[in-house]
Amino acid sequence: MEYELICAKTKQLVWETGNFIRNEVSRLTSDKIQSKGKNDFVTYVDKTSEKKLVAGLQDILPEAGFITEEHTINKKGEVYNWVIDPLDGTTNFIHGVPPYAISVALMENDQVVIGVVYEVNMDECFYAWKGSKAFLNGEEIHTSAKEKVADSLIATGFPYYTFNRMKPYMETLEDLMKNSHGVRRMGSAATDLAYVACGRYDAFYEYGLHPWDVAAGVLIVQQAGGMLGDFKGGHDYIFGKEMIAANSLVFSEFRQIVGSYFSK
């Protein structure tokens, strides 16, 4: 499998799709926004973007299946599956607030082998493939060198539809607000992970996640030298709906803090 070549083709497709999203910003009106559930929105831009990505990725790797947010295709691959979020940060998008991103990953069995995250507003493409370094617009990136949570800037995502873990979440948030450089919430998990990979954030945690939110970012963080886990100290962070990501120096302390509240 020529991962680098497939990644290059995927980047071009994602960039073209990002241009479509960018051009639709001024055309989106409230009557074109649909609700999938509480605080969970979708627009024709999400669906059209996904169709564009699916069609292009089928040409790149015909045997691959798909795991997609908007379910525009029902095809399961025996070995390879694309994991797609066509517009991560839809709520931001419909309000005209950055960031929002495209996230595309290729999984080979249970391993992510290609990851591309394109943040539309800043025209920043983060990517990696199996065995590579991690890159941002052609330049190598790596996670930060912060060694303590006290010196770290933390990213998180607020719960927006699953509120059954609000107590430990708020306790964790309070701890980190008091004992770090601060906590940021941007509204796009794919972008949060990309920012951990390039050292803008030192650590990230969130629950209520889906595989299409994080699969691409997982590989980019790993190839940039970072570490990932779930709240319990395990490794079920792609399909397990919860994630911790951080540079390798601060990861253990950060996981211990988050895990201490969610294990109560």
Side-chain angles (χ1 to χ4, degrees):
M1 178 64 65
E2 298 183 48
Y3 300 118
E4 184 176 0
L5 177 60
I6 293 173
C7 185
K9 292 180 178 180
T10 304
K11 282 191 300 170
Q12 180 62 30
L13 173 64
V14 167
W15 183 80
E16 292 169 0
T17 307
N19 278 340
F20 162 75
I21 293 173
R22 192 163 28 243
N23 292 334
E24 296 303 308
V25 172
S26 61
R27 302 175 186 173
L28 184 68
T29 54
S30 59
D31 61 303
K32 297 176 181 177
I33 301 169
Q34 301 175 345
S35 176
K36 297 188 290 184
K38 184 175 179 61
N39 297 326
D40 191 8
F41 304 102
V42 66
T43 72
Y44 74 93
V45 180
D46 300 68
K47 294 179 180 178
T48 303
S49 296
E50 185 167 293
K51 290 176 181 178
K52 288 177 177 292
L53 291 166
V54 166
L57 293 170
Q58 283 182 312
D59 289 339
I60 293 171
L61 196 64
E63 67 266 33
F66 292 88
I67 301 170
T68 67
E69 180 174 15
E70 305 307 335
H71 309 295
T72 59
I73 186 171
N74 182 19
K75 179 185 177 182
K76 178 70 173 178
E78 291 185 8
V79 177
Y80 298 102
N81 285 282
W82 295 103
V83 187
I84 303 173
D85 193 333
L87 182 50
D88 184 52
T90 298
T91 301
N92 284 359
F93 177 73
I94 66 178
H95 287 278
V97 177
Y100 36 88
I102 299 170
S103 177
V104 175
L106 178 64
M107 295 193 73
E108 183 177 332
N109 297 314
D110 60 352
Q111 182 183 23
V112 182
V113 293
I114 291 171
V116 178
V117 172
Y118 178 65
E119 202 290 297
V120 176
N121 296 272
M122 296 287 287
D123 189 25
E124 290 189 326
C125 187
F126 302 82
Y127 57 95
W129 61 90
K130 183 179 179 180
S132 77
K133 303 293 186 179
F135 300 93
L136 163 56
N137 290 352
E139 299 295 327
E140 185 180 337
I141 57 174
H142 51 79
T143 53
S144 72
K146 298 294 174 58
E147 298 181 359
K148 299 178 180 180
V149 169
D151 299 322
S152 298
L153 184 63
I154 311 298
T156 189
F158 296 157
Y160 63 95
Y161 71 98
T162 304
F163 301 105
N164 60 317
R165 306 174 83 183
M166 280 294 291
K167 186 175 187 295
Y169 178 83
M170 295 304 295
E171 290 174 340
T172 306
L173 185 62
E174 180 180 359
D175 186 317
L176 293 170
M177 289 173 68
K178 292 178 177 178
N179 299 293
S180 73
H181 277 195
V183 182
R184 302 289 184 266
R185 190 270 189 177
M186 296 199 301
S188 166
T191 305
D192 288 331
L193 289 169
Y195 282 14
V196 171
C198 71
R200 295 173 186 170
Y201 291 141
D202 304 293
F204 162 77
Y205 78 106
E206 185 174 349
Y207 78 86
L209 294 163
H210 300 285
W212 46 80
D213 299 320
V214 301
V218 161
L219 182 65
I220 298 168
V221 169
Q222 288 173 332
Q223 301 307 105
M227 299 177 66
L228 302 109
D230 56 35
F231 295 172
K232 298 176 290 295
H235 301 283
D236 188 15
Y237 45 79
I238 295 179
F239 294 94
K241 296 186 178 296
E242 62 183 41
M243 173 179 285
I244 293 168
N247 76 47
S248 61
L249 301 173
V250 81
F251 179 84
S252 179
E253 181 191 1
F254 184 67
R255 194 216 64 78
Q256 186 174 9
I257 291 170
V258 176
S260 68
Y261 291 106
F262 280 90
S263 63
K264 291 181 179 179

